[in-house]
Amino acid sequence: MKYGIWVLFFALMILGACTENTDGTGINTGSDHHQERENEQTGSGGQTTTDQNKNEPEKNEQTNQQQEADAPAEPQYKINAETSSVVPIDDANEKVVLLTFDDAPDEYALEMANTLKSMDANAIFFINGHFLESTEGQNMLKKIDDMGFVIGNHTYNHSYLPDLSEQEQRDQIVSLNDTIEDIIGKRPQFFRPPNGANTDFTKKLAEQEGMVSMNWTYGYDYFEPYMDTEKIKEAMISGKGPEVDVPYSLLKPGANLLMHDREWTAAALEDIVTGLRDKGYKIVDPMRIQTIE
């Protein structure tokens, strides 16, 4: 009888020890230590809450940096609606010029974009829709956009807008915006009418389409006397066009320079940019120009 009691006593002792063990190894881990491990564990990859808390500031910093990089650049300039000159906002550098190129992408636009890219100079390329009817033209537009240049609307067929009905004017502008969006995924934010000839209707339409209208302050490469590399270089750097009755300089802070997709302009472009910079002018980034929200 006594022997049976002792057997029962030892059996109960063994059972109690096994109940205290929490990890199945026969070792008493202790309830406090087990709770500490549970508090540290997470649901993924064995990473602890402590580790996550350490990494959280780094993740937040990376997120904030990405958000800043994706945010649109704060406008530093705006276009004067009357003169088309570039006007600084607040304390932005006023000694700047804006480079613009019409009738793209014909033959030389991509070459010109490459020249500008190599010189870290930005510009607006104003597009005609009829150049986008070929795969080659569409590919050129994509490449120019991919290089970071701003794309503008110069009407579909380079038509003289005052000669058209309002519906035809609308078609020339809106159809090109649609085409450009189909190719590069975004609509132009700047509009320049062919020959600088707007109408009251096109001004309102451009605004409705979210585009800033602009002409230019000077440009010479479409005049026959300046269809020459050396002459157009001198004219654009000096601002003078004596052979077309402009013997005085139009180069001044905020000048909006008109050029075209032309062989002589493409050949002179590097020297033009260098010459303007040598005069102390910076090439304004069109991304910094205020647009219509």
Side-chain angles (χ1 to χ4, degrees), residues 130 151 209:
H130 59 86
I151 303 303
E209 283 285 302

Side-chain angles (χ1 to χ4, degrees), residues 129-158:
H130 59 86
F131 292 126
L132 305 179
E133 293 175 353
S134 68
T135 301
E136 181 182 8
Q138 293 174 20
N139 288 337
M140 280 198 286
L141 176 61
K142 288 178 185 176
K143 289 178 181 178
I144 293 169
D145 175 65
D146 287 342
M147 292 166 71
F149 292 101
V150 172
I151 303 303
N153 182 316
H154 196 43
T155 73
Y156 199 95
N157 294 115
H158 202 274

Side-chain angles (χ1 to χ4, degrees), residues 201-268:
F201 177 80
T202 58
K203 289 178 183 178
K204 292 178 183 177
L205 178 60
E207 185 175 358
Q208 290 169 2
E209 283 285 302
M211 296 187 293
V212 175
S213 292
M214 70 171 75
N215 283 337
W216 57 90
T217 59
Y218 75 86
Y220 299 108
D221 67 351
Y222 55 102
F223 293 110
E224 188 173 354
Y226 294 98
M227 295 179 182
D228 172 88
T229 299
E230 288 302 315
K231 287 186 176 181
I232 191 57
K233 177 177 73 174
E234 175 61 27
M236 295 309 294
I237 294 172
S238 69
K240 298 179 181 179
E243 296 188 55
V244 289
D245 299 323
V246 188
Y248 46 87
S249 177
L250 295 174
L251 175 61
K252 59 186 67 177
N256 188 332
L257 308 189
L258 168 65
M259 290 174 274
H260 293 78
D261 184 335
R262 300 289 186 270
E263 181 180 7
W264 47 91
T265 307

Side-chain angles (χ1 to χ4, degrees), residues 84-114:
S84 293
S85 60
V86 180
V87 180
I89 298 173
D90 297 329
D91 58 351
N93 179 17
E94 67 172 8
K95 198 169 183 181
V96 298
V97 294
L98 174 63
L99 304 181
T100 67
F101 300 91
D102 287 7
D103 303 349
D106 190 1
E107 295 185 52
Y108 302 96
L110 187 55
E111 175 187 335
M112 297 165 101
N114 282 319

Side-chain angles (χ1 to χ4, degrees), residues 22-283:
T22 61
D23 63 1
T25 63
I27 300 173
N28 185 358
T29 60
S31 59
D32 291 342
H33 180 62
H34 179 66
Q35 184 64 44
E36 181 180 344
R37 287 177 60 197
E38 279 189 345
N39 289 341
E40 288 184 352
Q41 286 177 348
T42 67
S44 60
Q47 187 183 24
T48 65
T49 303
T50 303
D51 291 338
Q52 281 185 321
N53 290 338
K54 288 178 181 178
N55 292 337
E56 200 63 36
E58 182 179 347
K59 288 181 180 179
N60 289 339
E61 183 178 353
Q62 291 174 346
T63 300
N64 291 338
Q65 288 175 346
Q66 184 62 45
Q67 288 174 343
E68 289 176 6
D70 293 340
E74 190 71 22
Q76 294 180 329
Y77 299 91
K78 59 185 177 181
I79 298 297
N80 184 303
E82 299 299 322
T83 66
S84 293
S85 60
V86 180
V87 180
I89 298 173
D90 297 329
D91 58 351
N93 179 17
E94 67 172 8
K95 198 169 183 181
V96 298
V97 294
L98 174 63
L99 304 181
T100 67
F101 300 91
D102 287 7
D103 303 349
D106 190 1
E107 295 185 52
Y108 302 96
L110 187 55
E111 175 187 335
M112 297 165 101
N114 282 319
T115 298
L116 294 171
K117 189 72 173 178
S118 71
M119 302 183 76
D120 193 25
N122 211 323
I124 302 176
F125 283 83
F126 283 101
I127 304 300
N128 290 136
H130 59 86
F131 292 126
L132 305 179
E133 293 175 353
S134 68
T135 301
E136 181 182 8
Q138 293 174 20
N139 288 337
M140 280 198 286
L141 176 61
K142 288 178 185 176
K143 289 178 181 178
I144 293 169
D145 175 65
D146 287 342
M147 292 166 71
F149 292 101
V150 172
I151 303 303
N153 182 316
H154 196 43
T155 73
Y156 199 95
N157 294 115
H158 202 274
S159 301
Y160 187 69
L161 294 171
D163 286 346
L164 305 182
S165 69
E166 289 188 355
Q167 183 58 51
E168 290 170 328
Q169 292 175 50
R170 176 182 294 277
D171 291 342
Q172 283 292 315
I173 295 169
V174 177
S175 66
L176 178 54
N177 278 351
D178 292 342
T179 299
I180 290 173
E181 185 176 26
D182 286 343
I183 296 170
I184 64 172
K186 53 194 171 187
R187 299 174 80 80
Q189 292 184 299
F190 297 98
F191 173 68
R192 174 174 284 160
N195 306 107
N198 254 317
T199 67
D200 289 340
F201 177 80
T202 58
K203 289 178 183 178
K204 292 178 183 177
L205 178 60
E207 185 175 358
Q208 290 169 2
E209 283 285 302
M211 296 187 293
V212 175
S213 292
M214 70 171 75
N215 283 337
W216 57 90
T217 59
Y218 75 86
Y220 299 108
D221 67 351
Y222 55 102
F223 293 110
E224 188 173 354
Y226 294 98
M227 295 179 182
D228 172 88
T229 299
E230 288 302 315
K231 287 186 176 181
I232 191 57
K233 177 177 73 174
E234 175 61 27
M236 295 309 294
I237 294 172
S238 69
K240 298 179 181 179
E243 296 188 55
V244 289
D245 299 323
V246 188
Y248 46 87
S249 177
L250 295 174
L251 175 61
K252 59 186 67 177
N256 188 332
L257 308 189
L258 168 65
M259 290 174 274
H260 293 78
D261 184 335
R262 300 289 186 270
E263 181 180 7
W264 47 91
T265 307
L269 184 55
E270 183 174 351
D271 288 339
I272 290 171
V273 173
T274 300
L276 291 167
R277 285 173 168 169
D278 287 345
K279 286 179 174 284
Y281 286 90
K282 294 187 178 299
I283 310 302

